[in-house]
Amino acid sequence: NSHMCLNFVFIANTKIYICLMYIFLKVLSFFLRTVPTFLNKLTYKCFYSLLFHLLKLRRKVVLANLKRAFPDKSQNWYEKMTSECYKFYVEDFLEFLSFPRYFDNKKIKFNDLELLDEALKEDKGVIFVGGHFGSFDKLFYDLSNKGYSLCGVAYKQNDSAADQFFKKIREKYMERQLYKGESGIHLKAALKNNEILILLSDQDAREKGKFVNFFNIPSSTPSGAAILHKRIGAPIIFFAITKHDHEYSVTFTKINAAGTLDVDEVVQEYTLALENVIKKNPEQYFWFHKRWKTTLRGL
């Protein structure tokens, strides 16, 4: 009976937490969408100060990642880049919560959009590969407004309230959002419908990943995009969106254009494409991930 009582209390507390978190996100979203811009800017600064200076949330992870990726930089560079990374992602996250207020299509400039159009003409769908770099949700929103059909695959958040809140926003400009680990049937169905299947393929994939070089470090990397490409022939387009002042530049690259690479080589090619864009604007990469967790464990 005591165990049942404890379980009941735990479940009740969990439900209360989920409800409160959802309400908090809804209120914050409403605030960010409606208040004058100067108050939003003040909110950004407050969140930055809280996360960077007070809580120091994952600062050690960011610094460690930067030092591994850029071993020849100075301590001042690492500190400055860490600060810039926090500023970028605080602003980007809060702008995401304020959807669609700051999702201005006029500020996004596309390069090589014809690569995406040509890939879709093959009628096999497009495997749209990128990483946690830049304001990619703004890119997806703009593509949706241009008439492209999108299907995204995301990691399920530990916080179910936040997960559902984010999913509801994304499904306003995607056909649907799937979760990593779901049946491959859904992925193949999206490609069969000639949709753009979004895969962010840069997190540590543990023992299931392919070990390829990322900043000259053997890194466990998701290979699902490469496997789908080789099995069903859907073309892979690598994408990146980079912020310059108050505008965004989008670039596309066709991966394995010659069709001669095996799975490991395809993974290496899109990983290198991501590395190249990060090197130009390292503050716009999500260094908060424990990217080299598997290699550090010696697996």
Side-chain angles (χ1 to χ4, degrees):
N1 288 339
S2 61
H3 286 301
M4 287 179 63
C5 223
L6 287 171
N7 286 338
F8 177 78
V9 171
F10 174 77
I11 292 169
N13 286 340
T14 300
K15 288 183 177 180
I16 291 170
Y17 167 78
I18 291 171
C19 182
L20 289 176
M21 176 57 71
Y22 191 79
I23 291 171
F24 168 74
L25 289 170
K26 290 284 286 185
V27 170
L28 179 59
S29 176
F30 177 79
F31 172 82
L32 294 169
R33 284 185 283 112
T34 56
V35 300
T37 302
F38 79 91
L39 281 180
N40 271 1
K41 298 300 181 185
L42 180 61
T43 305
Y44 299 163
K45 290 179 181 178
C46 289
F47 269 83
Y48 164 76
S49 296
L50 175 66
L51 296 174
F52 182 74
H53 292 293
L54 186 60
L55 298 178
K56 298 181 180 180
L57 189 67
R58 290 201 168 227
R59 268 182 67 172
K60 289 183 179 179
V61 173
V62 175
L63 278 167
N65 283 338
L66 284 168
K67 287 178 179 179
R68 293 202 73 187
F70 301 95
D72 299 326
K73 300 293 186 181
S74 68
Q75 185 62 31
N76 285 340
W77 186 90
Y78 298 132
E79 296 287 350
K80 179 182 178 182
M81 203 54 56
T82 299
S83 173
E84 292 299 315
C85 184
Y86 272 81
K87 289 177 182 176
F88 180 86
Y89 277 99
V90 164
E91 182 174 350
D92 187 67
F93 175 67
L94 293 178
E95 287 187 351
F96 174 73
L97 289 184
S98 70
F99 176 84
R101 183 174 185 177
Y102 295 104
F103 282 58
D104 187 352
N105 296 334
K106 295 178 183 177
K107 293 184 177 182
I108 298 181
K109 310 298 179 185
F110 284 87
N111 301 289
D112 306 318
L113 185 58
E114 65 274 7
L115 286 178
L116 182 59
D117 293 329
E118 290 169 5
L120 285 168
K121 288 178 182 177
E122 297 182 29
D123 200 29
K124 298 177 182 178
V126 168
I127 303 169
F128 208 43
V129 175
H132 291 79
F133 176 86
S135 304
F136 46 81
D137 279 296
K138 291 185 174 73
L139 164 61
F140 305 154
Y141 174 73
D142 197 2
L143 286 173
S144 177
N145 279 353
K146 292 180 184 297
Y148 294 92
S149 183
L150 308 173
C151 175
V153 179
Y155 281 86
K156 195 175 184 67
Q157 301 289 321
N158 292 328
D159 188 320
S160 59
D163 185 79
Q164 286 302 309
F165 185 81
F166 302 152
K167 185 177 180 182
K168 284 184 178 180
I169 292 179
R170 291 196 174 107
E171 287 187 337
K172 291 178 181 177
Y173 49 88
M174 291 183 185
E175 294 296 319
R176 60 198 166 281
Q177 179 194 287
L178 305 174
Y179 288 112
K180 185 174 176 58
E182 287 188 16
S183 172
I185 293 173
H186 300 299
L187 307 183
K188 293 176 182 177
L191 295 172
K192 188 176 180 180
N193 291 335
N194 205 31
E195 295 175 8
I196 296 172
L197 178 64
I198 303 164
L199 299 174
L200 301 184
S201 302
D202 63 324
Q203 288 186 296
D204 185 282
R206 302 192 179 185
E207 67 280 355
K208 292 182 180 180
K210 295 291 185 181
F211 280 86
V212 297
N213 284 330
F214 185 53
F215 287 92
N216 293 318
I217 302 168
S219 310
S220 177
T221 305
S223 58
I227 292 171
L228 277 173
H229 167 67
K230 296 301 288 185
R231 283 182 180 174
I232 65 179
I236 300 181
I237 299 294
F238 172 82
F239 68 88
I241 177 169
T242 307
K243 186 175 183 180
H244 301 289
D245 295 324
H246 299 292
E247 293 189 342
Y248 301 86
S249 174
V250 178
T251 57
F252 298 118
T253 305
K254 188 166 186 180
I255 301 298
N256 194 20
T260 58
L261 304 181
D262 61 25
V263 168
D264 291 64
E265 291 170 326
V266 171
V267 176
Q268 181 65 81
E269 187 172 358
Y270 60 66
T271 301
L272 181 59
L274 175 62
E275 178 183 325
N276 288 336
V277 297
I278 293 171
K279 285 179 176 177
K280 295 175 183 176
N281 294 93
E283 78 286 352
Q284 296 184 38
Y285 185 59
F286 198 80
W287 296 104
F288 303 90
H289 290 149
K290 292 183 178 179
R291 180 61 183 93
W292 292 290
K293 180 167 54 177
T294 299
T295 55
L296 287 173
R297 290 178 178 177
L299 296 178

